[in-house]
Amino acid sequence: MMRTVDVSPPSTRQSDLVLIAGGGHALVVAEAAQLAGFGMAGFLDDNPAAEIRTIGRGLERLGNIDDNGALGDRPWILATGRLALRRRLLGLLSTPAATVVHPMAFISPSALLGAGVLVGAGSIVNSRSTICDHATINSAAVVEHDCVIGMNAHIAPRAVLGGGVRVGSDTLVGLGASVLPEVTIGSGCVIGAGAVVVRNVPDGATVRGVPAR
């Protein structure tokens, strides 16, 4: 269920964040979180030499990726871009998720963000849009007015969604894709990089090209 979350400066709440995964996407999440003022408790990953260890002085590995017992009562955020893995991990996690908004992103005062959302550098979430739990609005993506982005969806860098677009849960809108206003994209879809989506896309479909087919 969609719920609004506190994205005020972390000095007013617990801020020792745990990253769930430690690969390349985790580097982006970690840097956005640090710039937003979060402290970093460490990360969970099956790989002891995960890429996230290269950031700053390196983050502490707290356990394997599904070791939710290592979280304690600390907030966490999913830090892998693999949607199927993210969905599986969500079934294991119960403690509160943190929402991370890069300080160089723009969030309309009338937009709603769920728990566990990442909004990356240079991205825009415009008026009355709703970003549901654990969705990713990646670097320089544009979500125009009155859009609804479903749970665990990923809007990739430089993708542009026109006003009133609906994106279902567990859907990837690829790099540089464009979606025309009022189009609905179902759940579990893949929209190819650079695609231009001009009509509704059913659940589970993969489309690509200009126009997307």
Side-chain angles (χ1 to χ4, degrees), residues 94-185:
S94 58
T95 56
T99 288
V100 172
V101 176
H102 194 287
M104 292 181 66
F106 170 77
I107 309 295
S108 166
S110 61
L112 299 177
L113 302 185
V117 166
L118 171 70
V119 183
S123 54
I124 297 171
V125 178
N126 249 325
S127 304
R128 301 186 305 192
S129 285
T130 297
I131 313 300
C132 294
D133 295 352
H134 310 293
T136 298
I137 311 301
N138 218 325
S139 308
V142 176
V143 177
E144 265 301 338
H145 65 89
D146 297 301
C147 290
V148 177
I149 309 303
M151 182 176 182
N152 195 42
H154 188 143
I155 312 303
R158 293 195 176 277
V160 177
L161 310 185
V165 166
R166 302 292 190 267
V167 176
S169 60
D170 305 310
T171 282
L172 170 65
V173 178
L175 290 159
S178 300
V179 184
L180 268 60
E182 305 298 333
V183 166
T184 294
I185 298 171

Side-chain angles (χ1 to χ4, degrees), residues 20 44 46 62-72 89 92-93:
I20 312 296
L44 300 178
D46 294 345
L62 303 174
N64 289 333
I65 198 166
D66 57 359
D67 185 9
N68 60 335
L71 290 174
L89 292 170
L92 304 175
L93 296 161

Side-chain angles (χ1 to χ4, degrees), residues 21-57:
H25 184 61
L27 296 172
V28 175
V29 177
E31 290 181 346
Q34 289 173 324
L35 288 169
F38 282 88
M40 306 301 294
F43 70 97
L44 300 178
D45 198 283
D46 294 345
N47 179 10
E51 291 175 78
I52 194 63
R53 296 183 67 96
T54 66
I55 190 171
R57 297 180 180 178

